[in-house]
Amino acid sequence: MGKKIRSALLSVFYKDGLDEIVQYLDNNGVKIYSTGGTLSFIEGLGVQAHSVESLTGYPSILGGRVKTLHPKVFGGILARRNNPDDCKQLEQYEIPEVDLVVADLYPFEETLSGGASEAEVIEKIDVGGMSLIRAAAKNYSDVAVVASRRQYAELLSMLKENGCGTTQANRKYLAAQAFNVTSHYDSAIFSYFNLSERIPSFKQSVQGSMPLRYGENPHQKAAFYGSFGDMFEQLHGKEISYNNLLDIDSAVSLIRELAEPSFVILKHSNACGAASRPTLAEAWAAALAGDPVSAFGGVLACNRELDRATAEEVNKLFCEVVIAPAYNAEGLATLKQKKNRIILAAKTFELPASQSRALLNGVAVQERDLSVEAEEDMTAVTAVKPSAEQVQDLIFANKLVKHSKSNAIVLAKNRQLIAGGVGQTSRVDALRHAVEKAASFGFSLQGAVMASDAFFPFPDCVEIAHKAGVAAVIQPGGSVNDQKSIDYCNANGVAMVITGVRHFKH
Protein backbone atom coordinates (compact mmCIF):
# COMPACT_ATOMS: atom_id res chain seq x y z
CA MET A 1 0.00 0.00 0.00
CA GLY A 2 1.23 3.48 -0.84
CA LYS A 3 0.85 6.80 0.94
CA LYS A 4 -2.87 7.53 1.13
CA ILE A 5 -4.29 10.52 -0.75
CA ARG A 6 -6.59 12.45 1.58
CA SER A 7 -6.71 15.82 -0.14
CA ALA A 8 -6.10 17.00 -3.69
CA LEU A 9 -5.84 20.29 -5.55
CA LEU A 10 -7.10 20.20 -9.15
CA SER A 11 -6.56 23.22 -11.42
CA VAL A 12 -6.26 22.44 -15.12
CA PHE A 13 -6.72 24.04 -18.53
CA TYR A 14 -7.60 20.76 -20.28
CA LYS A 15 -10.47 18.80 -18.74
CA ASP A 16 -10.53 15.83 -21.11
CA GLY A 17 -10.10 12.62 -19.12
CA LEU A 18 -10.21 14.39 -15.76
CA ASP A 19 -13.68 13.06 -14.93
CA GLU A 20 -12.46 9.54 -14.10
CA ILE A 21 -9.87 10.89 -11.65
CA VAL A 22 -12.44 13.15 -9.99
CA GLN A 23 -14.94 10.31 -9.60
CA TYR A 24 -12.29 7.97 -8.19
CA LEU A 25 -11.04 10.54 -5.68
CA ASP A 26 -14.59 11.32 -4.58
CA ASN A 27 -15.47 7.64 -4.19
CA ASN A 28 -12.46 7.28 -1.90
CA GLY A 29 -13.35 10.20 0.33
CA VAL A 30 -10.64 12.57 -0.91
CA LYS A 31 -11.23 16.25 -0.14
CA ILE A 32 -10.93 18.19 -3.38
CA TYR A 33 -9.90 21.82 -3.77
CA SER A 34 -10.22 23.55 -7.11
CA THR A 35 -10.36 26.81 -9.04
CA GLY A 36 -12.47 28.56 -11.67
CA GLY A 37 -13.41 26.45 -14.65
CA THR A 38 -12.07 23.26 -13.09
CA LEU A 39 -14.28 23.77 -10.06
CA SER A 40 -17.33 24.23 -12.29
CA PHE A 41 -16.37 21.09 -14.22
CA ILE A 42 -16.11 19.04 -11.01
CA GLU A 43 -19.41 20.35 -9.65
CA GLY A 44 -20.98 19.52 -13.02
CA LEU A 45 -20.08 15.88 -12.34
CA GLY A 46 -22.12 16.02 -9.15
CA VAL A 47 -18.99 15.96 -6.98
CA GLN A 48 -18.48 18.32 -4.05
CA ALA A 49 -15.34 20.43 -4.22
CA HIS A 50 -14.02 23.37 -2.23
CA SER A 51 -12.95 26.57 -3.92
CA VAL A 52 -9.43 27.82 -3.35
CA GLU A 53 -11.01 31.18 -2.54
CA SER A 54 -12.75 29.62 0.46
CA LEU A 55 -9.37 28.39 1.66
CA THR A 56 -7.37 31.58 1.13
CA GLY A 57 -10.07 34.12 1.92
CA TYR A 58 -9.15 35.99 -1.28
CA PRO A 59 -10.99 36.00 -4.59
CA SER A 60 -9.39 35.38 -7.96
CA ILE A 61 -7.98 38.77 -8.98
CA LEU A 62 -6.35 40.58 -11.90
CA GLY A 63 -8.46 38.83 -14.48
CA GLY A 64 -7.50 35.39 -13.16
CA ARG A 65 -3.76 36.09 -13.07
CA VAL A 66 -3.72 35.44 -9.31
CA LYS A 67 -5.76 32.52 -7.97
CA THR A 68 -3.58 30.04 -6.10
CA LEU A 69 -0.53 32.13 -5.16
CA HIS A 70 -1.11 32.14 -1.41
CA PRO A 71 0.61 30.62 1.70
CA LYS A 72 -2.52 28.62 2.56
CA VAL A 73 -2.17 26.81 -0.77
CA PHE A 74 1.59 26.49 -1.05
CA GLY A 75 2.09 25.81 2.65
CA GLY A 76 -0.06 22.69 2.35
CA ILE A 77 1.93 21.52 -0.67
CA LEU A 78 5.47 22.32 0.51
CA ALA A 79 5.17 21.30 4.17
CA ARG A 80 7.47 18.39 5.06
CA ARG A 81 5.31 15.89 6.91
CA ASN A 82 8.26 14.53 8.90
CA ASN A 83 9.35 17.99 10.03
CA PRO A 84 7.74 18.91 13.39
CA ASP A 85 8.21 22.66 12.85
CA ASP A 86 6.47 22.49 9.46
CA CYS A 87 3.58 20.54 10.91
CA LYS A 88 3.30 22.97 13.84
CA GLN A 89 3.05 25.91 11.47
CA LEU A 90 0.35 24.18 9.40
CA GLU A 91 -1.67 23.79 12.57
CA GLN A 92 -0.93 27.34 13.74
CA TYR A 93 -2.11 28.93 10.49
CA GLU A 94 -4.87 26.41 9.78
CA ILE A 95 -3.32 25.24 6.54
CA PRO A 96 -4.59 21.88 5.25
CA GLU A 97 -2.14 19.37 3.83
CA VAL A 98 -2.36 18.70 0.08
CA ASP A 99 -1.35 15.18 -0.99
CA LEU A 100 -2.01 15.41 -4.73
CA VAL A 101 -1.69 18.27 -7.22
CA VAL A 102 -3.15 17.92 -10.71
CA ALA A 103 -2.33 21.02 -12.73
CA ASP A 104 -1.43 21.68 -16.34
CA LEU A 105 -0.21 24.78 -18.12
CA TYR A 106 -1.75 27.35 -20.41
CA PRO A 107 -1.14 26.38 -24.07
CA PHE A 108 1.73 28.77 -24.76
CA GLU A 109 3.24 26.94 -27.75
CA GLU A 110 -0.15 26.27 -29.33
CA THR A 111 -1.11 29.94 -28.98
CA LEU A 112 2.20 31.05 -30.46
CA SER A 113 1.97 28.69 -33.44
CA GLY A 114 -1.59 29.87 -34.10
CA GLY A 115 -0.39 33.35 -35.04
CA ALA A 116 -1.78 35.09 -31.96
CA SER A 117 -0.93 38.68 -31.06
CA GLU A 118 1.85 39.43 -28.60
CA ALA A 119 -0.68 40.30 -25.90
CA GLU A 120 -2.46 36.96 -26.39
CA VAL A 121 0.83 35.08 -26.27
CA ILE A 122 1.91 36.81 -23.07
CA GLU A 123 -1.38 35.93 -21.37
CA LYS A 124 -0.65 32.27 -22.06
CA ILE A 125 2.51 32.35 -19.95
CA ASP A 126 1.42 30.32 -16.95
CA VAL A 127 2.53 31.49 -13.51
CA GLY A 128 0.26 29.83 -10.96
CA GLY A 129 0.25 26.43 -12.65
CA MET A 130 4.03 26.43 -12.95
CA SER A 131 4.36 27.31 -9.30
CA LEU A 132 1.95 24.58 -8.18
CA ILE A 133 3.71 21.95 -10.28
CA ARG A 134 7.21 22.89 -9.15
CA ALA A 135 6.21 23.05 -5.49
CA ALA A 136 4.55 19.64 -5.57
CA ALA A 137 7.44 18.10 -7.50
CA LYS A 138 9.99 19.53 -5.06
CA ASN A 139 8.10 17.94 -2.16
CA TYR A 140 7.64 14.56 -3.88
CA SER A 141 8.43 12.79 -0.61
CA ASP A 142 4.93 13.70 0.50
CA VAL A 143 3.04 14.98 -2.54
CA ALA A 144 2.14 13.42 -5.89
CA VAL A 145 1.95 15.70 -8.92
CA VAL A 146 0.56 15.39 -12.44
CA ALA A 147 1.49 18.16 -14.88
CA SER A 148 -0.08 16.97 -18.12
CA ARG A 149 -3.33 15.42 -19.30
CA ARG A 150 -1.18 12.76 -20.97
CA GLN A 151 -0.59 11.36 -17.48
CA TYR A 152 -4.20 11.17 -16.31
CA ALA A 153 -4.56 7.50 -17.17
CA GLU A 154 -1.20 6.68 -15.60
CA LEU A 155 -2.13 8.47 -12.38
CA LEU A 156 -5.45 6.66 -12.18
CA SER A 157 -3.69 3.32 -12.59
CA MET A 158 -1.23 4.18 -9.80
CA LEU A 159 -4.02 5.19 -7.45
CA LYS A 160 -5.96 1.99 -8.08
CA GLU A 161 -2.86 -0.16 -7.58
CA ASN A 162 -2.13 1.48 -4.22
CA GLY A 163 -5.56 1.87 -2.65
CA CYS A 164 -5.94 5.54 -3.56
CA GLY A 165 -2.33 6.16 -2.69
CA THR A 166 1.11 6.47 -4.27
CA THR A 167 4.50 4.96 -3.48
CA GLN A 168 7.70 6.93 -3.03
CA ALA A 169 8.89 5.58 -6.39
CA ASN A 170 5.61 6.69 -8.00
CA ARG A 171 5.97 10.21 -6.65
CA LYS A 172 9.61 10.59 -7.67
CA TYR A 173 8.76 9.43 -11.19
CA LEU A 174 5.83 11.87 -11.36
CA ALA A 175 8.13 14.66 -10.12
CA ALA A 176 10.60 13.94 -12.91
CA GLN A 177 7.75 14.06 -15.43
CA ALA A 178 6.61 17.35 -13.94
CA PHE A 179 10.03 18.97 -14.22
CA ASN A 180 10.21 17.70 -17.80
CA VAL A 181 6.99 19.59 -18.53
CA THR A 182 8.06 22.80 -16.80
CA SER A 183 11.57 22.87 -18.28
CA HIS A 184 10.17 22.38 -21.79
CA TYR A 185 7.62 25.14 -21.18
CA ASP A 186 10.30 27.55 -19.94
CA SER A 187 12.52 26.75 -22.93
CA ALA A 188 9.70 27.64 -25.32
CA ILE A 189 9.10 30.94 -23.53
CA PHE A 190 12.81 31.79 -23.51
CA SER A 191 13.05 31.06 -27.24
CA TYR A 192 10.13 33.42 -27.87
CA PHE A 193 11.78 36.25 -25.94
CA ASN A 194 15.19 35.55 -27.48
CA LEU A 195 14.16 35.53 -31.13
CA SER A 196 16.85 38.11 -31.87
CA GLU A 197 19.39 35.78 -30.19
CA ARG A 198 20.84 38.68 -28.23
CA ILE A 199 21.31 36.33 -25.29
CA PRO A 200 24.00 33.78 -26.27
CA SER A 201 22.39 30.70 -24.79
CA PHE A 202 21.51 27.40 -26.47
CA LYS A 203 18.29 25.82 -25.25
CA GLN A 204 16.44 23.12 -27.10
CA SER A 205 13.74 20.94 -25.61
CA VAL A 206 12.26 18.08 -27.61
CA GLN A 207 9.37 16.12 -26.17
CA GLY A 208 8.98 12.52 -27.21
CA SER A 209 11.44 10.02 -28.59
CA MET A 210 11.58 7.06 -30.93
CA PRO A 211 13.89 4.15 -30.13
CA LEU A 212 16.21 3.27 -33.00
CA ARG A 213 17.27 -0.24 -33.95
CA TYR A 214 20.85 0.69 -33.03
CA GLY A 215 23.37 3.48 -33.54
CA GLU A 216 25.97 3.78 -36.28
CA ASN A 217 27.08 0.30 -35.25
CA PRO A 218 25.12 -2.55 -33.61
CA HIS A 219 26.93 -2.17 -30.27
CA GLN A 220 25.75 1.46 -29.93
CA LYS A 221 22.35 2.31 -28.48
CA ALA A 222 20.43 5.15 -30.12
CA ALA A 223 17.18 7.10 -30.07
CA PHE A 224 15.62 9.90 -32.12
CA TYR A 225 14.20 12.82 -30.15
CA GLY A 226 11.53 14.50 -32.21
CA SER A 227 8.12 13.92 -33.77
CA PHE A 228 8.91 11.41 -36.51
CA GLY A 229 5.19 10.73 -36.90
CA ASP A 230 4.60 14.36 -37.84
CA MET A 231 6.88 13.90 -40.86
CA PHE A 232 6.32 10.30 -41.94
CA GLU A 233 3.90 7.45 -41.64
CA GLN A 234 5.71 4.13 -41.53
CA LEU A 235 3.62 1.76 -43.61
CA HIS A 236 5.81 -1.30 -43.39
CA GLY A 237 9.13 -2.72 -42.28
CA LYS A 238 11.50 -3.07 -39.39
CA GLU A 239 12.57 -0.55 -36.79
CA ILE A 240 14.56 2.38 -38.18
CA SER A 241 18.27 2.58 -37.36
CA TYR A 242 20.49 5.60 -36.72
CA ASN A 243 22.11 5.26 -40.15
CA ASN A 244 18.69 4.91 -41.80
CA LEU A 245 17.68 8.17 -40.15
CA LEU A 246 20.76 10.03 -41.42
CA ASP A 247 20.07 8.82 -44.95
CA ILE A 248 16.37 9.66 -44.67
CA ASP A 249 17.28 13.20 -43.62
CA SER A 250 19.65 13.58 -46.57
CA ALA A 251 17.21 12.04 -49.03
CA VAL A 252 14.35 14.29 -47.97
CA SER A 253 16.53 17.41 -48.05
CA LEU A 254 17.56 16.61 -51.63
CA ILE A 255 14.32 15.34 -53.16
CA ARG A 256 12.30 18.34 -52.00
CA GLU A 257 14.52 20.60 -54.17
CA LEU A 258 13.70 18.67 -57.37
CA ALA A 259 10.49 19.82 -59.08
CA GLU A 260 10.13 17.36 -61.97
CA PRO A 261 9.23 13.70 -61.35
CA SER A 262 12.45 12.53 -59.70
CA PHE A 263 14.11 9.64 -57.90
CA VAL A 264 17.20 9.75 -55.71
CA ILE A 265 19.18 6.85 -54.26
CA LEU A 266 21.37 7.55 -51.24
CA LYS A 267 24.13 5.61 -49.56
CA HIS A 268 25.89 6.93 -46.48
CA SER A 269 24.12 10.29 -46.93
CA ASN A 270 25.40 10.80 -50.49
CA ALA A 271 23.43 10.43 -53.71
CA CYS A 272 24.73 7.52 -55.77
CA GLY A 273 21.82 7.77 -58.18
CA ALA A 274 19.52 10.64 -59.14
CA ALA A 275 17.44 11.63 -62.13
CA SER A 276 14.52 13.83 -63.19
CA ARG A 277 12.31 12.64 -66.05
CA PRO A 278 8.79 13.15 -67.47
CA THR A 279 7.58 10.05 -65.59
CA LEU A 280 8.55 8.46 -62.28
CA ALA A 281 9.32 5.13 -63.94
CA GLU A 282 11.80 6.81 -66.28
CA ALA A 283 13.34 8.70 -63.37
CA TRP A 284 13.82 5.45 -61.45
CA ALA A 285 15.48 3.69 -64.38
CA ALA A 286 17.86 6.60 -64.95
CA ALA A 287 18.69 7.00 -61.24
CA LEU A 288 19.49 3.31 -60.86
CA ALA A 289 21.64 3.29 -63.99
CA GLY A 290 23.92 5.89 -62.44
CA ASP A 291 25.38 3.34 -60.00
CA PRO A 292 23.49 0.02 -59.72
CA VAL A 293 26.23 -1.36 -57.46
CA SER A 294 26.09 1.29 -54.73
CA ALA A 295 22.28 1.33 -54.92
CA PHE A 296 22.21 -2.07 -53.19
CA GLY A 297 20.99 -1.51 -49.64
CA GLY A 298 20.35 2.17 -50.24
CA VAL A 299 17.64 4.62 -49.25
CA LEU A 300 15.30 5.65 -52.08
CA ALA A 301 13.14 8.74 -52.31
CA CYS A 302 10.80 10.10 -54.97
CA ASN A 303 8.53 13.14 -55.23
CA ARG A 304 5.42 11.65 -56.85
CA GLU A 305 2.94 8.92 -55.93
CA LEU A 306 4.69 5.57 -56.39
CA ASP A 307 2.67 3.51 -58.89
CA ARG A 308 2.59 -0.22 -59.46
CA ALA A 309 4.80 -0.28 -62.57
CA THR A 310 7.57 1.71 -60.87
CA ALA A 311 7.19 -0.27 -57.65
CA GLU A 312 7.71 -3.51 -59.54
CA GLU A 313 11.05 -2.20 -60.85
CA VAL A 314 12.06 -0.89 -57.43
CA ASN A 315 11.18 -4.24 -55.88
CA LYS A 316 13.91 -5.92 -57.92
CA LEU A 317 16.50 -4.07 -55.84
CA PHE A 318 17.35 -4.79 -52.22
CA CYS A 319 16.92 -1.47 -50.45
CA GLU A 320 16.60 -0.45 -46.83
CA VAL A 321 14.09 2.39 -47.13
CA VAL A 322 11.60 3.72 -49.68
CA ILE A 323 10.15 7.23 -49.27
CA ALA A 324 7.31 8.65 -51.35
CA PRO A 325 4.56 11.22 -50.78
CA ALA A 326 1.99 8.50 -51.53
CA TYR A 327 1.61 4.95 -52.89
CA ASN A 328 -1.18 3.43 -54.89
CA ALA A 329 -2.56 0.20 -53.44
CA GLU A 330 -0.90 -2.13 -55.96
CA GLY A 331 2.46 -0.38 -55.69
CA LEU A 332 2.41 -0.56 -51.90
CA ALA A 333 1.48 -4.23 -51.94
CA THR A 334 4.40 -4.93 -54.27
CA LEU A 335 6.91 -3.15 -52.05
CA LYS A 336 5.60 -4.95 -48.96
CA GLN A 337 6.75 -8.26 -50.40
CA LYS A 338 10.07 -7.69 -48.62
CA LYS A 339 9.11 -7.96 -44.94
CA ASN A 340 11.93 -5.85 -43.51
CA ARG A 341 11.85 -3.06 -46.10
CA ILE A 342 11.01 0.25 -44.42
CA ILE A 343 8.28 2.04 -46.36
CA LEU A 344 7.59 5.65 -45.45
CA ALA A 345 4.84 7.98 -46.65
CA ALA A 346 6.23 11.52 -46.41
CA LYS A 347 3.87 14.15 -45.06
CA THR A 348 4.02 17.88 -45.72
CA PHE A 349 6.34 19.43 -43.17
CA GLU A 350 8.92 22.16 -42.75
CA LEU A 351 12.48 21.50 -41.67
CA PRO A 352 13.93 23.68 -38.87
CA ALA A 353 15.70 26.82 -39.99
CA SER A 354 18.78 25.93 -37.94
CA GLN A 355 20.89 22.83 -37.41
CA SER A 356 22.80 21.78 -34.30
CA ARG A 357 25.49 19.20 -33.72
CA ALA A 358 27.19 18.00 -30.54
CA LEU A 359 30.90 18.84 -30.82
CA LEU A 360 33.67 18.55 -28.23
CA ASN A 361 32.14 19.65 -24.93
CA GLY A 362 29.32 21.70 -26.45
CA VAL A 363 26.95 22.24 -29.34
CA ALA A 364 27.57 23.99 -32.66
CA VAL A 365 24.57 25.70 -34.26
CA GLN A 366 24.24 27.06 -37.77
CA GLU A 367 21.55 28.23 -40.15
CA ARG A 368 20.38 25.52 -42.53
CA ASP A 369 21.74 25.88 -46.07
CA LEU A 370 18.54 26.96 -47.80
CA SER A 371 20.20 28.52 -50.84
CA VAL A 372 19.03 26.98 -54.12
CA GLU A 373 20.58 28.67 -57.13
CA ALA A 374 18.47 29.26 -60.24
CA GLU A 375 19.46 30.53 -63.70
CA GLU A 376 19.26 34.15 -62.59
CA ASP A 377 21.82 33.43 -59.86
CA MET A 378 24.43 32.31 -62.40
CA THR A 379 27.03 34.66 -63.83
CA ALA A 380 28.61 33.47 -67.06
CA VAL A 381 32.33 34.24 -66.94
CA THR A 382 33.47 32.65 -70.22
CA ALA A 383 33.11 33.58 -73.86
CA VAL A 384 31.11 30.41 -74.49
CA LYS A 385 27.77 30.53 -72.70
CA PRO A 386 25.93 27.39 -71.59
CA SER A 387 23.00 26.33 -73.77
CA ALA A 388 19.46 26.24 -72.38
CA GLU A 389 19.78 22.48 -71.92
CA GLN A 390 23.13 22.84 -70.20
CA VAL A 391 21.70 25.45 -67.83
CA GLN A 392 19.08 22.95 -66.66
CA ASP A 393 21.79 20.31 -66.16
CA LEU A 394 23.92 22.82 -64.25
CA ILE A 395 21.01 23.63 -61.93
CA PHE A 396 20.38 19.90 -61.40
CA ALA A 397 24.06 19.12 -60.75
CA ASN A 398 24.43 22.04 -58.36
CA LYS A 399 21.54 20.75 -56.24
CA LEU A 400 23.18 17.34 -56.06
CA VAL A 401 26.61 18.66 -55.12
CA LYS A 402 25.04 20.84 -52.42
CA HIS A 403 23.80 17.67 -50.70
CA SER A 404 27.06 15.71 -51.11
CA LYS A 405 29.85 15.40 -48.54
CA SER A 406 32.80 17.69 -49.23
CA ASN A 407 35.01 17.80 -51.12
CA ALA A 408 32.45 17.02 -53.79
CA ILE A 409 32.25 16.97 -57.57
CA VAL A 410 29.12 15.98 -59.52
CA LEU A 411 29.02 15.06 -63.20
CA ALA A 412 25.57 15.11 -64.82
CA LYS A 413 23.90 15.02 -68.22
CA ASN A 414 20.24 15.19 -69.26
CA ARG A 415 19.28 15.68 -65.59
CA GLN A 416 20.86 12.39 -64.60
CA LEU A 417 23.66 11.87 -62.10
CA ILE A 418 26.44 10.32 -64.16
CA ALA A 419 28.93 10.09 -61.32
CA GLY A 420 29.96 11.84 -58.15
CA GLY A 421 33.21 12.10 -56.26
CA VAL A 422 32.39 12.82 -52.63
CA GLY A 423 34.05 13.09 -49.24
CA GLN A 424 37.55 13.47 -50.66
CA THR A 425 40.38 15.44 -49.08
CA SER A 426 41.33 16.79 -52.50
CA ARG A 427 39.01 18.27 -55.13
CA VAL A 428 41.19 16.76 -57.82
CA ASP A 429 40.77 13.32 -56.24
CA ALA A 430 37.00 13.85 -56.10
CA LEU A 431 36.93 14.68 -59.82
CA ARG A 432 39.18 11.77 -60.81
CA HIS A 433 37.02 9.39 -58.80
CA ALA A 434 33.90 10.69 -60.57
CA VAL A 435 35.48 10.38 -64.03
CA GLU A 436 36.67 6.82 -63.33
CA LYS A 437 33.28 5.86 -61.93
CA ALA A 438 31.44 7.21 -64.98
CA ALA A 439 33.69 5.18 -67.27
CA SER A 440 33.21 2.02 -65.18
CA PHE A 441 29.45 2.15 -65.83
CA GLY A 442 29.85 2.91 -69.54
CA PHE A 443 28.85 6.57 -69.49
CA SER A 444 30.19 9.05 -71.99
CA LEU A 445 31.00 12.43 -70.51
CA GLN A 446 30.86 14.19 -73.87
CA GLY A 447 28.57 17.20 -73.34
CA ALA A 448 28.22 16.54 -69.59
CA VAL A 449 28.34 19.30 -66.96
CA MET A 450 30.38 19.51 -63.77
CA ALA A 451 29.35 21.02 -60.43
CA SER A 452 31.77 21.75 -57.60
CA ASP A 453 30.71 22.54 -54.02
CA ALA A 454 33.58 25.04 -53.65
CA PHE A 455 35.96 27.03 -55.83
CA PHE A 456 38.82 25.59 -57.86
CA PRO A 457 42.12 26.69 -56.31
CA PHE A 458 43.94 25.78 -59.54
CA PRO A 459 42.90 25.15 -63.17
CA ASP A 460 43.75 21.42 -62.94
CA CYS A 461 40.13 20.39 -62.30
CA VAL A 462 38.69 22.16 -65.35
CA GLU A 463 41.51 20.71 -67.45
CA ILE A 464 40.78 17.14 -66.30
CA ALA A 465 37.05 17.68 -66.77
CA HIS A 466 37.46 19.15 -70.26
CA LYS A 467 39.70 16.30 -71.38
CA ALA A 468 37.07 13.84 -70.12
CA GLY A 469 34.37 15.56 -72.23
CA VAL A 470 32.73 18.02 -69.84
CA ALA A 471 31.29 21.02 -71.71
CA ALA A 472 30.01 23.30 -68.91
CA VAL A 473 30.98 24.00 -65.32
CA ILE A 474 29.20 25.52 -62.31
CA GLN A 475 31.13 26.60 -59.23
CA PRO A 476 30.86 29.28 -56.53
CA GLY A 477 34.09 31.09 -57.46
CA GLY A 478 36.08 33.14 -54.99
CA SER A 479 39.58 31.78 -55.51
CA VAL A 480 42.49 34.12 -56.12
CA ASN A 481 43.15 31.84 -59.09
CA ASP A 482 39.64 32.01 -60.58
CA GLN A 483 40.96 33.69 -63.69
CA LYS A 484 43.33 30.80 -64.43
CA SER A 485 40.39 28.38 -64.54
CA ILE A 486 38.39 30.85 -66.65
CA ASP A 487 41.31 31.28 -69.04
CA TYR A 488 41.59 27.53 -69.53
CA CYS A 489 37.87 27.29 -70.26
CA ASN A 490 38.07 30.16 -72.76
CA ALA A 491 41.02 28.57 -74.50
CA ASN A 492 39.19 25.26 -74.84
CA GLY A 493 35.57 26.24 -75.49
CA VAL A 494 34.19 25.26 -72.11
CA ALA A 495 31.33 27.27 -70.58
CA MET A 496 31.61 28.31 -66.94
CA VAL A 497 29.15 29.99 -64.59
CA ILE A 498 29.79 31.27 -61.07
CA THR A 499 27.13 31.45 -58.35
CA GLY A 500 28.97 33.09 -55.47
CA VAL A 501 27.49 30.49 -53.07
CA ARG A 502 29.64 27.74 -51.57
CA HIS A 503 27.98 24.48 -50.47
CA PHE A 504 30.37 22.71 -48.14
CA LYS A 505 28.82 19.80 -46.25
CA HIS A 506 30.60 17.94 -43.49
Side-chain angles (χ1 to χ4, degrees):
M1 295 290 288
K3 177 179 171 61
K4 182 77 173 177
I5 302 292
R6 293 183 173 83
S7 61
L9 171 59
L10 278 58
S11 180
V12 299
F13 186 86
Y14 296 105
K15 316 297 190 297
D16 299 344
L18 186 65
D19 54 340
E20 290 188 72
I21 293 175
V22 171
Q23 296 286 5
Y24 182 82
L25 294 176
D26 184 57
N27 292 340
N28 284 271
V30 175
K31 188 171 186 178
I32 299 174
Y33 296 94
S34 193
T35 63
T38 309
L39 178 63
S40 299
F41 174 81
I42 294 170
E43 291 174 339
L45 297 173
V47 173
Q48 182 184 10
H50 303 268
S51 69
V52 166
E53 289 87 347
S54 68
L55 172 63
T56 65
Y58 281 86
S60 172
I61 61 172
L62 306 181
R65 282 190 165 196
V66 180
K67 295 190 287 283
T68 59
L69 297 169
H70 193 281
K72 282 210 168 183
V73 175
F74 282 86
I77 297 171
L78 286 165
R80 294 157 290 188
R81 311 311 196 246
N82 62 353
N83 185 307
D85 289 339
D86 285 7
C87 294
K88 184 178 179 179
Q89 288 183 38
L90 290 184
E91 183 178 355
Q92 178 183 357
Y93 296 109
E94 298 180 337
I95 300 173
E97 294 179 355
V98 176
D99 303 314
L100 169 66
V101 171
V102 179
D104 61 11
L105 302 171
Y106 292 157
F108 177 82
E109 288 181 283
E110 293 86 341
T111 303
L112 183 61
S113 63
S117 67
E118 182 175 9
E120 291 171 318
V121 170
I122 296 302
E123 283 307 308
K124 287 299 184 287
I125 297 177
D126 205 309
V127 177
M130 285 284 281
S131 301
L132 289 172
I133 292 167
R134 290 177 62 85
K138 176 178 179 176
N139 201 26
Y140 73 88
S141 292
D142 297 302
V143 181
V145 59
V146 165
S148 168
R149 56 181 166 170
R150 296 180 181 89
Q151 291 180 272
Y152 288 173
E154 192 172 23
L155 171 65
L156 190 59
S157 177
M158 287 179 182
L159 294 176
K160 289 179 177 179
E161 287 176 6
N162 295 285
C164 197
T166 57
T167 66
Q168 176 85 350
N170 289 156
R171 295 191 296 278
K172 191 168 185 178
Y173 164 75
L174 291 172
Q177 291 277 28
F179 284 123
N180 178 42
V181 169
T182 59
S183 63
H184 177 78
Y185 195 79
D186 275 337
S187 292
I189 294 170
F190 169 77
S191 296
Y192 171 73
F193 279 92
N194 198 41
L195 287 174
S196 63
E197 298 183 357
R198 293 180 63 187
I199 301 173
S201 177
F202 176 78
K203 287 182 174 63
Q204 188 173 54
S205 177
V206 181
Q207 297 287 62
S209 68
M210 179 179 75
L212 300 176
R213 196 163 71 248
Y214 50 74
E216 284 190 282
N217 301 290
H219 66 276
Q220 295 172 268
K221 294 181 180 179
F224 171 69
Y225 291 90
S227 301
F228 191 80
D230 290 346
M231 300 178 289
F232 305 97
E233 179 184 359
Q234 183 167 350
L235 304 175
H236 183 72
K238 59 188 176 183
E239 194 175 45
I240 293 169
S241 74
Y242 183 90
N243 291 338
N244 290 154
L245 204 60
L246 292 178
D247 285 339
I248 290 167
D249 176 70
S250 296
V252 168
S253 297
L254 172 55
I255 196 66
R256 67 197 300 154
E257 292 187 3
L258 302 177
E260 298 177 78
S262 303
F263 239 111
V264 297
I265 306 170
L266 275 84
K267 201 75 173 287
H268 297 291
S269 298
N270 292 302
C272 60
S276 295
R277 290 289 184 270
T279 68
L280 200 59
E282 292 174 283
W284 165 251
L288 180 61
D291 186 348
V293 176
S294 297
F296 182 86
V299 170
L300 323 179
C302 63
N303 58 1
R304 296 291 191 277
E305 179 181 283
L306 193 49
D307 57 89
R308 178 180 179 179
T310 308
E312 287 177 347
E313 294 303 312
V314 170
N315 196 46
K316 296 175 182 177
L317 174 74
F318 168 74
C319 58
E320 286 272 326
V321 182
V322 180
I323 308 166
Y327 303 81
N328 71 11
E330 295 85 358
L332 182 59
T334 299
L335 294 173
K336 283 184 175 181
Q337 291 174 8
K338 304 290 172 52
K339 68 176 183 178
N340 287 327
R341 177 182 286 150
I342 297 166
I343 303 175
L344 302 175
K347 302 177 182 180
T348 300
F349 62 92
E350 292 300 320
L351 293 170
S354 64
Q355 297 171 303
S356 58
R357 180 185 292 187
L359 295 176
L360 300 174
N361 67 348
V363 177
V365 182
Q366 68 169 356
E367 295 176 343
R368 184 178 293 274
D369 185 357
L370 299 175
S371 181
V372 181
E373 290 74 51
E375 183 174 2
E376 56 268 26
D377 301 307
M378 301 177 183
T379 300
V381 291
T382 50
V384 175
K385 312 303 179 189
S387 67
E389 184 67 22
Q390 287 173 336
V391 166
Q392 294 308 307
D393 280 347
L394 290 170
I395 292 171
F396 176 81
N398 199 49
K399 290 175 180 177
L400 296 185
V401 84
K402 168 187 170 181
H403 293 282
S404 301
K405 292 293 181 70
S406 300
N407 287 307
I409 291 288
V410 162
L411 304 176
K413 185 163 63 173
N414 299 328
R415 287 175 295 290
Q416 177 188 23
L417 172 60
I418 301 301
V422 299
Q424 300 299 310
T425 53
S426 159
R427 193 159 305 281
V428 172
D429 286 345
L431 174 56
R432 285 176 174 154
H433 177 70
V435 171
E436 290 170 6
K437 188 174 182 181
S440 71
F441 290 112
F443 285 104
S444 168
L445 291 177
Q446 293 300 317
V449 304
M450 174 174 70
S452 175
D453 62 341
F455 63 63
F456 300 114
F458 304 102
D460 46 4
C461 281
V462 291
E463 180 179 355
I464 294 169
H466 163 249
K467 290 179 178 178
V470 168
V473 177
I474 184 170
Q475 59 128 334
S479 168
V480 294
N481 288 325
D482 273 351
Q483 193 58 49
K484 292 181 179 180
S485 293
I486 295 169
D487 289 345
Y488 181 90
C489 289
N490 278 329
N492 293 277
V494 177
M496 177 183 284
V497 298
I498 286 177
T499 65
V501 180
R502 192 181 75 182
H503 287 300
F504 269 165
K505 182 183 178 186
H506 294 89

